[in-house]
Structure formats: C-alpha cells, structure tokens
Amino acid sequence: MEFDSLNQYHKILNKIALQQPTSYKEYYTFLISASAIPGSNNQLSDFINNTIQIPETSDDFNYEYVKIKWLQMMALADETATLDEARIIKVELLKYIDSYSIETDNVNKARALVETFEMVIYVIQNKIELGKELCQNTFEIGKELNDKLIQITSLYHLCDFLVADRNLEEFITQSEVVLELESGLATPSPYKAKNMVHLIDAYIFKGGNHKRVSQLLNQLYNDVKTRPHSYSLYAQFLTYLPKDHKLQKEIFKIFNVKTYPEFGNKIDSISQNVLVPNDYYHVLNFTSKLLYSKKLYAEAFRFKDKAIDVTRKTYSEDLSQSLADFQTEKAVQQKERELLLSKQKSKYYGIIASLVAALFGVSLLLLYFNTKKNKILKQKNNLISNTLLEKERLLNEKQLLFKEMHHRVKNNFQLLSSLLELQVTGIEDKNALKMVEEGQNRIKSMALIHQNLYKDDSLKISLSEYVNKLIAEISAIGTINPRILLNIPNYKFDIDTAIPLGLILNELITNCFKYGFTNKYPSLTISIEKEKESSFYKLILKDNGNGLNSKEQFLNPNNMGLWLVQRLVKQLSGKCRYSYDNGAVYTITFKDTGERLKVA
C-alpha cells in the first residue's frame, strides 16, 4: 500500500514537472502526500498560489478545487502569523460556493468543510463548549453526506477541545475513531500523521498499552514521508520501557543499535537534516530525558546542551532573517520612490513642452516670460516634492525601525522565557520554582505587548485584544475554566502605558486563577471606561472568590504580586483600591501617557 501511494505521488510529480495536464483530483492527491513531510506548510501554500487556478465558470461544481484551497487554508491556520491569510481564503471559498444556487451534495460538503476553519478560531479563543458543539454538529453533517474527510476533520479538532478539558480517555477514543475512518479513504486526510503522533503521545502519557504504542510507532516509521515524526516518539517510548524489555530490543533492532547512547546518536544524525528546528529540538530533548532516566547523565547533559544550542540558533537565525528582510524592504522602497520621481518629472516635462508649443504662435515675448515663470515654478515644485518625499522616507524608516525593535524585543523575551522553561526541570525548591514561573509569566505578558505593537501600524496596543490573549495564555496552563465577562472598549495605549498596565492585569488575573476561583461556578469580570469629568481611566477587576483576609493585607502586601501592582499604579499616576463584594474587587484609576506628561 505504501509503495503504491509513493509510486502514485511520483507519477503526479512527474506530470507537474513536465507541465502536463493535471486534474484537480491529482493535485489534491499530490498535496496530501507532500503535506505529510515535516515543515512543508509554507511551501505547500506557495505552490497552490502559483499553480492552482479557480475553475472556469460551469454548471458543474468542483469539490476537488475546494478541498485543495481548504488544505491551504488549514495549513496557514496552523501558524498565528498567517491566520489572516487563511481567513481571506475562507472568504474566497465561500464566495465560490455561493455562486452556485443549487444545493447539491458536493456544495453542502464544501460549505461544511470550509466552516471547519472556525474550529481553529475557537481553540485560539479558548471557547471550549462552543468548539465542541461545532465539531459534533459538523461530524453529524459529514455522516449524513457520507463524507469521511468532514468526519475526520471534525473529530480531529474535537480532540483539541478534549485536551483543554483534560479528558484523556475520550481523547484516545476519538483519535482511534479517526484512525478507523482513515482506513476507508482512498487518499488519506492531512490529519492522518498528526493524529497518529497525538495518539501515540497520549498512550505514552497514560502508561501501559505498550503493544498498541508499538504498532502505531511502526506504522508511522514504515511510511517514508512520516518516518521523521517517529524519532522523538521512539525516544519517549523507550524512556518508559524497562531495560531489556522485548519491545526495547525490537526498537534497537529497527535502528540497528545496541545501546541507548547509540540510539540517541543515530536518531540525532538522521533528524538534523530532515526536521525543522523546532521538531529537531524535540528529538534532542526527549533523547536527553531518555538517557537521564537510564542514569546516563553525561550523555543526557550533552543532548540537553545541544537542544539549548538549537533553540539559541533558531532565534539568532530568525533575527538575522528579520534584519535581512528589513534591508531588502528599504532598498525596494528607495527604488520605488526613485521610479515615482522619474515618472513625475517626465510628466511635468511633457506639460511644459505642450504649453510652449501652444504659446509659440501667440508671441515670442509671452513665451519668454512664461518659460521663465515655469522654470521658477518647477524649482519650487521640485523643492516641495523632495522635501515631502524626504519627510515620508524618514517617517517610514522610523516606523519600520520601531516595529523591528518591538519584534526583536518580543523575540528576546520569548528566548528568555524558553531558557527559563528549560531550567525549570532542574529546580527542586518549591519557592524558587514559584518565583521562576511568576517571572516567566511576567516576561510572557510583556512579550505579548511587543508582539501586538509589532503588528499594529500605529505602534499602539489594543487593550481589548491584549486582555483576550492574556486570559487565553493564563487559562491554557491551568485547569479552571471560569466564566469571563469583558466590557473593554477599543482603547489603544502606547508602550509607556501598555507595559505597566499589562503587568498589572497579568498579576491580578493570575491571582484570580491561582487563589480567587474557590466558587463552584467561578467567574471573572473586567471592565474599563474613561471618566467623563476627569482625564482618568477606571479599570475594575472582580472575581467571585473568597478575596483577601483583610484590607491590611492589600495595603501592606506580603507577596511580590500585590506590591508590584501598587508600584505600577503609581507609575501611571493613579490609585488602586481593594474592596469585597461577594468576591475581590480591584478598582484602579490611571492616566495615559499624554495626560501624565501634562502634569509633569
């Protein structure tokens, strides 16, 4: 079966390379095979953009074309940076689908398939119940239309929400159903390899089921395209297998090794040139854990150091690429301005020539005065034009430099957060571990601010967008799923206000998740408004927990978080009050940068 699939892939690839007529169905089969290769998302999207054209208008609806563009849309949705591109493709697909007034089965299938994009959005927004409901409803539509691809997609994304619910048993059950549905497809879905990886990971985490894990790992390994995905999973599996276990010996035989260090060196050498840096890092990291569990400490630390080096190199290369892109963009902009100026001059000279020809018949005297006047006007226009272009160039360069600075700061914060995360495994003291985790959360909150500043052309942060992302970050690492009520208008603040305000929100929201949600039905309310009769903003954060022991605990805090909140509020020329109303209520008034500067 694998040989037939590979042979078909090469046949279609040969047709594409020779520019022979290729059907949409053949393109889809080819792209599904290519999508199984690690790190292929960007290349897949570029290929579709450059090769696949929208079908010519006809009476027959082309479901295969929709599947190709859907594949591109979901690949782009995997990355936050390309989420907007994925949304544009969704709009284009719905426009194509709506152009057919007759509701055939294929039209209904296409509409259901495209709407699975919203499942990804619900995962990002942490809307668990809405997401599960959408997945289940779409699965039923897939059953009614007898479309296994829709059923597989629905259940695969349902598993994302089961992870958020910490429902391991149901996650495993649904993942097995996905595998069973895959067996009925002539062309596998784009989720087949990823679903197997997740299922193996879940079985290893649960413990036991060694035989099933071995079957799945071997299936993943035996497919040449998905084989690289198996390396880190084999390392994980060996970590939990006793030495000299029957399955351990079988794995060593597959990789032709005799010891754990030999196994580590083997998967290291075959991974580094076929995996993207992030996946290669996981191979090194799990190999380090494997060797550590077998008390091979020197080898374990060697692989851990190598994993850290890969992380550092990745961030360094990203920064270098950003600098190169910045220089290229500057050069392109300069060239475009030069061409624009050249066109403007040519147009201006043409006008002068026409004017001279028209006035020549009137009199030589008028020609002389008009020519002189036009010459003076030209000099003034050039002076004004050059001045405006120079100001525009300086403004654009300044804006680009600020955006690049925020991008670098965000990357550096993420690097620092990653390094702290790598070191957490070595800390045994609970107080020290708590301090490191709190520091890491504060770093993430500041990185989130710089990420939003980098994306916004005004170099200001939208408070509403920031709070939503911050709550999603904090709730993702906990087990509580409170009811969140937000009343935040579209206020935007510059970095001098956004940083302290973001840290204040991070501390208070984190405290709510840690200590405030003692109620059976936890809730958190956050609102902000601009006071009409003053220059202050009022921020109110309320939960329905037990609150602090007393106001004295707030006025004279014995923990770093509340002390930091009070210091940051003073930095914003504001005040912070605490009260209890069926839960903790924090009322903070503050001024934005412009109002604070007026007082200064």
Side-chain angles (χ1 to χ4, degrees), residues 62 78-79 99 105 132 157 184 187 224 272 308 421 439 478 490 500:
N62 198 316
D78 275 346
E79 302 290 339
S99 66
D105 280 352
K132 290 197 291 188
H157 288 291
T187 301
V224 176
Q272 53 187 307
I308 293 172
E421 187 174 350
N490 191 27

Side-chain angles (χ1 to χ4, degrees), residues 276-295:
V276 296
N278 190 51
D279 291 337
Y280 178 44
Y281 162 79
H282 287 306
V283 171
L284 296 172
N285 192 41
F286 284 119
T287 301
S288 174
K289 290 182 179 180
L290 165 63
L291 295 169
Y292 189 87
S293 70
K294 307 306 178 186
K295 299 183 179 181

